[in-house]
Amino acid sequence: MSDLLPDGAVMLRLQQPPVIANVGAAVHGTTGKHDVFLLRDHWQLHLYAYSGELILGGLTHTIHPGHVSLVPPGQEVRFGYRGRSEHLFVHLQLPTVGPGLRVPVMQDAGERAEALSGMFRQALAAAHREPVQAAAEIWAVLWRVAQLAQPSEGGRHQAVVRAMDFIESRLGEPVTVPQIARYAEVSHNQLTRLFRLETGETVVAYLRRRRLERAEHLLRRTTLPIPAIAGLVGIPDLQAFNKACRRELGQAPRAIRSSLSL
């Protein structure tokens, strides 16, 4: 049974540490725009610092800096370059039987790319003197790559859950989408895509809605002054708070307060 699935994912089995055949840093694209590789017995794990294309199993995957890819043994893979193209790589063997994790061939590691790069380089430094350490480093990399794709409890992507947690803890503070993405350990673009896919809202719309839902609760259930509530939900300007309540809740703060229910 092939480890390459028709939808552009692979089955990754991580019950045991990998056996590393080669780990290093490579440069391509200086003498040609295309390369073709086929490793019959080894997986290929790449962490990219360039933009290009990877074609595997008839599917084209876009490469950008910070992306990571997994190619299983026995599969021809074609790379397209747009100039000098650097990446970190490891060729390795993994268990061939047992339960597997479904992992996309190509993923955006986002804010985790830097940490993965450090682990790659630790493995590269240890490969000749401490091969067991190198295998342990790459095993940890593979687990982290697999976790990029795994949903959290409740079915939501872990990055979306982390983003929601961050938003909930900072409803009263000025926050930006890049800040939320950094906390969620994904790129700005990946968080935007995941959030819309799983919630049907943009990150900004979700943040605004949660602030106004908190405001409505405080207006109806507490005796806190309206200016204090505005500050607690990150909209200290009373005119802006009034407009936001009318737009999102259909009433001005004073009208909502009139239905106070303790």
Side-chain angles (χ1 to χ4, degrees), residues 99-181:
L101 297 170
R102 184 186 177 283
V103 180
V105 166
M106 184 73 68
Q107 296 187 85
D108 181 359
E111 295 297 321
R112 297 186 181 187
E114 184 175 353
L116 291 177
S117 176
M119 296 165 72
F120 251 104
R121 294 186 185 281
Q122 289 280 1
L124 177 57
H128 296 295
R129 55 181 175 80
E130 295 288 352
V132 174
Q133 178 188 343
E137 294 282 0
I138 295 302
W139 199 16
V141 169
L142 289 166
W143 274 110
R144 283 160 175 75
V145 170
Q147 289 164 0
L148 290 173
Q150 301 307 310
S152 63
E153 292 184 9
R156 292 200 184 280
H157 193 285
Q158 290 177 347
V160 174
V161 174
R162 286 193 294 268
M164 288 178 168
D165 289 345
F166 183 85
I167 288 170
E168 289 299 315
S169 67
R170 289 166 174 79
L171 287 177
E173 303 174 18
V175 295
T176 65
V177 176
Q179 286 176 318
I180 298 169

Side-chain angles (χ1 to χ4, degrees), residues 29 122 195 208 216 260:
Q122 289 280 1
F195 224 89
R208 182 172 59 243
E216 183 177 26
L260 178 67

Side-chain angles (χ1 to χ4, degrees), residues 41-207:
D41 302 313
H42 294 89
W43 286 78
Q44 300 176 55
L45 170 66
H46 288 182
L47 178 61
Y48 300 96
Y50 68 87
S51 295
E53 294 81 34
L54 178 156
I55 302 174
L56 178 67
L59 298 177
T60 299
H61 304 271
T62 301
I63 298 170
H64 289 300
H67 281 199
V68 60
S69 70
L70 282 161
V71 175
Q75 298 291 333
E76 182 180 273
V77 57
R78 297 175 178 268
F79 292 94
Y81 311 116
R82 303 173 188 172
R84 181 182 174 89
S85 301
E86 301 180 16
H87 67 262
L88 298 171
F89 73 90
V90 60
H91 300 157
L92 55 109
Q93 291 180 315
L94 290 170
T96 57
V97 296
L101 297 170
R102 184 186 177 283
V103 180
V105 166
M106 184 73 68
Q107 296 187 85
D108 181 359
E111 295 297 321
R112 297 186 181 187
E114 184 175 353
L116 291 177
S117 176
M119 296 165 72
F120 251 104
R121 294 186 185 281
Q122 289 280 1
L124 177 57
H128 296 295
R129 55 181 175 80
E130 295 288 352
V132 174
Q133 178 188 343
E137 294 282 0
I138 295 302
W139 199 16
V141 169
L142 289 166
W143 274 110
R144 283 160 175 75
V145 170
Q147 289 164 0
L148 290 173
Q150 301 307 310
S152 63
E153 292 184 9
R156 292 200 184 280
H157 193 285
Q158 290 177 347
V160 174
V161 174
R162 286 193 294 268
M164 288 178 168
D165 289 345
F166 183 85
I167 288 170
E168 289 299 315
S169 67
R170 289 166 174 79
L171 287 177
E173 303 174 18
V175 295
T176 65
V177 176
Q179 286 176 318
I180 298 169
R182 282 195 294 272
Y183 183 86
E185 299 182 333
V186 293
S187 70
H188 180 294
N189 289 341
Q190 186 178 11
L191 180 62
T192 299
R193 179 181 62 79
L194 288 170
F195 224 89
R196 186 176 287 280
L197 178 66
E198 297 204 5
T199 71
E201 296 180 285
T202 66
V203 180
V204 172
Y206 177 84
L207 172 61

Side-chain angles (χ1 to χ4, degrees), residues 17-41:
V19 176
I20 296 176
N22 195 12
V23 58
V27 178
H28 296 277
T30 56
T31 59
K33 294 184 177 180
H34 302 280
D35 276 325
V36 179
F37 294 94
L38 193 161
L39 303 185
R40 298 193 180 281
D41 302 313

